Amino acid sequence: MAELRLQNLGKRFGDHAAVEAVELTVADGEFLALLGPSGCGKTTLLRLIAGFEEPDAGSISIAGREVARPGRQLPPEERRVGLVFQSYALWPHMSVAENVAYPLKVAGLPRAELVRRRDAALATTGLEGFAGRRPADLSGGQRQRVALARCLVMEPPLVLLDEPLANLDVHLRAAMQEEFAGFHDKTGATMVYITHDQAEAMALADRIAVMHQGRLQQVAAPRALYNEPATAMVAGFIGEGSLVEAELLGFEADGRAAVTLWDRRVRLRARPGQAPGPVVASLRPEQLSLTAPDGPDVLPARVRRAVYRGGRVALDLVPEAAPEASLLLLEPEATAPGPGERVGIAIGGGWVIPE
Ligand SMILES: Nc1ncnc2c1ncn2[C@@H]1O[C@H](COP(=O)(O)OP(=O)(O)O)[C@@H](O)[C@H]1O
Ligand SMILES: [Mg+2]
C-alpha cells in the first residue's frame, strides 16, 4: 500500500529549473498520468521519485516514509518502486521466463516462491505461451509486456512508467493501454504513468497532472481538465478549441457568468467568486454552432479554412468584429460551408480561465 507525496519538490540542472515547487499527493491505488510537452520535466520528476536524482528542494514520501530531501537520500533499491521505461532493457541471452524471474533470483527468493511469482506475472501479462522464447523472437508489444511482468514480479506497491508505449505503433498502443488498465485493476498498485499523449492519459488515468516548464499546472480528473482548465496552457494543451479575450461582467442568479465578447453578451461558466474584469475564455468546438449570420446574439463570421476530417469538417472562422481572432468549429460534412462563406456563430457555452 503506497501513497506518494511530493512536497515543494525542486531540481535544478545548473541554472535551469527542471522541476520546481511541485506539490502532489497520489492516493494509494490511484492511477495518475503525468502529462506534458517534451522537455517539461516529466522524466526528471520520475527519476527523483525513483531515487536516481537527488532533490535540491522539498521532500518525497512513499507510504508515509520520507525517502528524499536535500542531502538525505534513500537508495533506489530501498524504495520498493517498480519501473517501466520505453526501452525495454531485457537480457537478450535469457528467455522470457528467465528475464521475468531475474529480480527474484537477485533477491534470493526460494525456488518454489520464485516459480509461483514468475508464473503469476507471466499470466497477468498474457505471456504464458512465450515463456521459453528469447526477446529477439518477440514483437515490440510482447517485449514491453515482458518488461511489465519483470516489474510486476517484485509486487511493488508503487509503479512508475515513463512513456512505456512511445515506441509502439498506434494499434498496439491501444491494446497495451487495456493491458495497463487491467494490470492496475489486478495489482491495486499506485501508478504514475508519464506520457505526452493526452488520449492515452485520458483513457487510463483517474487523474491527470499537467506539467509545463517544470511546474504542475493542474491536477484533475480528465473531464474536469477538459471542461474547466485552470490555465490557458492547459486549455491549449488538452483537447481542441479557441482562447478568446473577453470581459467578465459578473454572475447571474443561476451561477452563470455574464461575459462580453466582441460587443456581444454571452453566458459562460466560471469559477464562483471570480472578480469582474478582462479574462481569457476557452471555447470548445462543440460549444459553438452555425446559424444564420444576422440573428440576435449571433456572431457574424467568415470561413477562412475548411479542413476535411472524415465525416466532419474543421472550420476556422474569423469573426467580423475581430479579424485577428480565430474560432474552431466542427461541422458535419453534409452541412459544412466552404471557404469564404459568411456564417453566424451561436455560442452555447464556454469556460472562463481562472488565472
Ligand atoms: N542530467 C541532466 N543534465 C542537464 N539537464 C538535464 C538533465 N536531465 C534533464 N535535463 C533538462 O531538464 C529538462 C527536463 O527534462 P526531462 O525531465 O527529460 O523532460 P521530459 O521527460 O518532460 O521530456 C530539459 O530541459 C532537459 O534538457
Ligand atoms: Mg521524458
Side-chain angles (χ1 to χ4, degrees):
M1 301 294 106
E3 178 195 78
L4 170 66
R5 186 164 199 156
L6 312 178
Q7 286 175 292
N8 189 34
L9 192 64
K11 176 71 187 173
R12 308 184 74 86
F13 294 113
D15 55 8
H16 176 74
V19 170
E20 201 167 15
V22 166
E23 292 280 337
L24 177 67
T25 301
V26 186
D28 177 36
E30 185 176 0
F31 195 131
L32 181 106
L34 184 61
L35 178 68
S38 179
C40 73
K42 303 182 295 296
T43 295
T44 304
L45 186 61
L46 189 133
R47 288 172 56 80
L48 285 164
I49 300 168
F52 302 124
E53 299 283 359
E54 189 175 335
D56 37 43
S59 67
I60 303 170
S61 301
I62 300 173
R65 172 186 186 204
E66 190 177 273
V67 299
R69 65 163 54 242
R72 249 182 44 123
Q73 279 272 89
L74 202 63
E77 60 276 12
E78 286 173 36
R79 296 191 185 190
R80 297 204 62 213
V81 169
L83 291 167
V84 181
F85 297 101
Q86 59 178 273
S87 55
Y88 323 110
L90 303 176
W91 299 106
H93 59 287
M94 290 185 193
S95 69
V96 167
E98 287 164 342
N99 263 285
V100 172
Y102 186 73
L104 300 174
K105 210 169 150 184
V106 172
L109 255 72
R111 175 81 195 158
E113 175 70 2
L114 179 146
V115 168
R116 187 191 67 74
R117 286 224 227 161
R118 179 198 69 195
D119 291 352
L122 290 171
T124 303
T125 49
L127 286 168
E128 300 101 319
F130 301 92
R133 287 216 200 160
R134 309 255 159 197
D137 303 322
L138 298 174
S139 70
Q142 289 162 343
R143 274 181 227 159
Q144 189 54 275
R145 273 194 255 166
V146 178
L148 192 58
R150 194 181 47 186
C151 155
L152 175 61
V153 84
M154 293 303 285
E155 298 175 359
L158 172 63
V159 179
L160 310 175
L161 306 104
D162 192 354
E163 308 208 25
L165 305 183
N167 288 338
L168 306 182
D169 70 44
V170 177
H171 293 289
L172 204 50
R173 288 169 79 134
M176 285 301 292
Q177 279 173 25
E178 280 179 33
E179 302 215 3
F180 283 132
F183 166 74
H184 179 242
D185 289 345
K186 277 180 217 161
T187 60
T190 308
M191 291 176 74
V192 178
Y193 186 104
I194 293 190
T195 178
H196 62 264
D197 179 339
Q198 53 168 298
E200 197 165 288
M202 293 223 175
L204 285 169
D206 299 314
R207 287 189 306 158
I208 300 174
V210 180
M211 199 168 180
H212 181 56
Q213 295 179 346
R215 289 176 170 267
L216 290 189
Q217 295 274 307
Q218 187 172 10
V219 185
R223 281 166 204 271
L225 215 54
Y226 182 82
N227 291 313
E228 302 184 352
T231 66
M233 182 272 161
V234 175
F237 191 70
I238 303 289
E240 291 188 305
S242 317
L243 289 170
V244 296
E245 289 180 6
E247 177 94 11
L248 177 64
L249 303 172
F251 287 85
E252 297 184 352
D254 65 357
R256 291 257 160 174
V259 171
T260 316
L261 177 61
W262 304 313
D263 295 336
R264 293 283 189 287
R265 218 178 136 113
V266 295
R267 289 148 50 84
L268 308 179
R269 288 176 312 107
R271 197 171 276 177
Q274 183 157 357
V279 292
V280 172
S282 150
L283 303 175
R284 298 296 189 186
E286 62 275 9
Q287 291 164 334
L288 308 179
S289 53
L290 290 184
T291 171
D294 297 308
D297 294 335
V298 163
L299 215 60
R302 214 163 273 284
V303 179
R304 178 159 48 196
R305 259 159 61 86
V307 177
Y308 185 59
R309 290 252 186 110
R312 289 189 304 174
V313 179
L315 300 173
D316 172 13
L317 304 170
V318 182
E320 285 176 1
E324 76 291 348
S326 154
L327 297 177
L328 172 70
L329 190 154
L330 300 175
E331 184 71 4
E333 187 177 349
T335 50
E341 278 189 54
R342 187 165 183 263
V343 296
I345 305 171
I347 297 175
W351 167 251
V352 175
I353 307 281
E355 305 175 1

